[in-house]
Amino acid sequence: MNIIQQIESELGKPDGTLPRINVGDDVEVDYLIREGEKERIQTFKGLVLAVQGRSIRKTMVVRRIVQGEGVERTFPLHSPRVHDVRVTKRGRVRRSKLFYMRDRVGKSTRTKERLGDKVRAERETEKARRTAQATAAKDSSSKDGE
Amino acid sequence: MTLLLGRKRGMTQLFADDGTVTPVTVVEAGPCIVMQLRTEEKDGYSAIQLGYEDVRDKISSKPQREAAKAIGTAPKRFLREERLHGPSEHEVGQAITVEVFEAGSLVDVVGTTKGRGFAGTIKRHGFARGPKTHGSMNYRAPGSIGCSAYPGRVFKGKRMSGHYGASRKTVKNLEVMRVDADRNLLLIKGSVPGHNGSFVQVQTARTGVKK
């Protein structure tokens, strides 16, 4: 493995902490925002229009409609501000970039849901990953308490 | 001033806790062996000569091979000197590692830029290009290069097409973000001249004042 890949794998979030994200999926992103002194988590729900970059440089563009106005945000997936990402629906799309969605309104902004064994298997592994993570977090916190 | 020789390995980014991204260049530097000391008495100036990257005996010259053997190391691919104001604190044969730099200090990086071959004025000097359409036949042409009968010649130093890149360049006052002593790596903020894998010299910034 070359040095850059090695460094990036160490610097980024560990393998398995981020779900597999494809263009066309509906996602919920928990994002840490600062309000004065306090920090809180804001959830941004929307459709993934594009995924760019690799490993630690990976970003995704999420679009949603807020009060009739289209809002797009780019999230660097390995940023410490991105607290959690959940995939709510797998979408079936035929492009790698869905910028044509910007010209659409109403029902046509929806993507067809991808169903089938593959998606089901993915959902199972994702669930397993989350429970594993939760128990791991609980273990470490109980250890800290001792 | 401190000098270290190394190779550029590529670029990546670092996240701060507040989510700010810093672009960094990874430089694999050192350990450099002190090959020779120049002294006022013997050479007329004092300096320290560093060697980086071992080469096979076969491809080094005999004087280099013997000199390396005398200090108990392999011959080096790169030898560079650093001028000193007084006598050196180092001894011949000593190894210098990335630990001479610390996170937060400023460095200058010297390297050879990527070669662009014979480049036009737009790439080489940043000239504006002409319109692409509407009957324009002047797309990347440089335009007029001077006046007519007076002076009747083109001025020296007129910026024109020609060979560009593959020249020595120094980038000054770059911040060292991280030092990885185990792998001999420096993570330096910003970009550094040359291709990935090209030879660079990292030295303490000459003029730098940290903002």
Side-chain angles (χ1 to χ4, degrees), chain B residues 100-180:
Chain B
V100 293
F101 295 112
E102 55 187 45
S105 56
L106 293 180
V107 292
D108 292 344
V109 181
V110 183
T112 307
T113 56
K114 289 180 184 173
R116 271 84 167 185
F118 191 96
T121 50
I122 294 175
K123 188 184 279 283
R124 194 174 183 220
H125 300 296
F127 282 15
R129 68 157 168 73
K132 284 184 181 175
T133 55
H134 296 291
S136 163
M137 290 166 72
N138 158 33
Y139 182 27
R140 295 178 75 95
S144 166
I145 56 169
C147 313
S148 182
Y150 183 80
R153 62 189 174 89
V154 175
F155 289 121
K156 275 189 176 176
K158 173 71 198 148
R159 293 178 299 166
M160 291 200 214
S161 308
H163 183 258
Y164 178 45
S167 60
R168 180 189 157 103
K169 277 271 142 57
T170 307
V171 186
K172 292 182 175 177
N173 301 334
L174 300 175
E175 191 181 341
V176 176
M177 300 301 289
R178 252 174 233 194
V179 179
D180 187 336

Side-chain angles (χ1 to χ4, degrees), chain A residues 3-4 6-8 10-11 56-57 76 78-81, chain B residues 9-10 12-16 18-19 26 28 178 183 185:
Chain A
I3 288 178
I4 296 292
Q6 217 171 328
I7 290 173
E8 290 191 336
E10 287 162 28
L11 291 175
I56 194 173
R57 286 161 281 136
H78 285 270
S79 167
R81 300 260 112 189
Chain B
R9 286 297 174 217
T12 182
Q13 61 187 29
L14 294 177
F15 283 104
D18 63 352
V26 179
E28 190 176 355
R178 252 174 233 194
R183 286 179 292 186
L185 299 180

Side-chain angles (χ1 to χ4, degrees), chain A residues 7-142:
Chain A
I7 290 173
E8 290 191 336
S9 64
E10 287 162 28
L11 291 175
K13 296 179 181 172
D15 263 359
T17 45
L18 289 167
R20 233 186 104 83
I21 294 160
N22 296 319
V23 171
D25 293 349
D26 282 352
V27 291
E28 293 178 4
V29 184
D30 286 348
Y31 195 70
L32 280 169
I33 55 165
R34 171 164 283 155
E35 273 178 348
E37 289 289 281
K38 273 185 218 158
E39 285 194 341
R40 69 180 187 87
I41 288 171
Q42 192 184 54
T43 307
F44 191 88
K45 286 181 210 172
L47 173 73
V48 179
L49 289 194
V51 175
Q52 289 135 342
R54 254 173 287 190
S55 69
I56 194 173
R57 286 161 281 136
K58 197 170 201 166
T59 62
M60 66 172 176
V61 179
V62 183
R63 179 181 172 88
R64 73 175 296 194
I65 309 289
V66 183
Q67 293 164 3
E69 189 67 33
V71 176
E72 280 178 26
R73 288 195 67 170
T74 308
F75 293 102
L77 290 178
H78 285 270
S79 167
R81 300 260 112 189
V82 174
H83 192 251
D84 193 14
V85 182
R86 289 178 300 275
V87 177
T88 50
K89 189 183 112 183
R90 294 282 181 195
R92 199 187 88 93
V93 290
R94 304 182 69 155
R95 322 269 125 190
S96 65
K97 304 279 185 281
L98 305 183
F99 297 132
Y100 65 86
M101 281 294 179
R102 290 169 179 167
D103 304 326
R104 298 207 173 176
V105 277
K107 279 192 177 179
S108 59
T109 58
R110 293 172 309 174
T111 55
K112 200 171 176 192
E113 183 158 13
R114 233 173 67 212
L115 297 167
D117 292 343
K118 210 174 159 190
V119 175
R120 215 167 298 138
E122 252 174 40
R123 207 175 292 153
E124 287 308 313
T125 52
E126 171 70 9
K127 208 184 267 176
R129 187 180 68 78
R130 276 191 193 277
T131 46
Q133 224 171 349
T135 49
K138 208 182 272 176
D139 284 354
S140 67
S141 66
S142 64

Side-chain angles (χ1 to χ4, degrees), chain B residues 65-113:
Chain B
R65 198 155 58 226
E66 294 305 321
K69 205 183 277 174
I71 58 171
T73 174
K76 304 293 176 192
R77 192 183 302 274
F78 301 107
L79 295 173
R80 292 290 183 277
E81 279 187 15
E82 182 196 349
R83 280 294 277 269
L84 302 171
H85 295 297
S88 171
E89 308 142 19
H90 296 284
E91 281 164 32
V92 172
Q94 210 179 337
I96 298 178
T97 66
V98 286
E99 281 166 311
V100 293
F101 295 112
E102 55 187 45
S105 56
L106 293 180
V107 292
D108 292 344
V109 181
V110 183
T112 307
T113 56

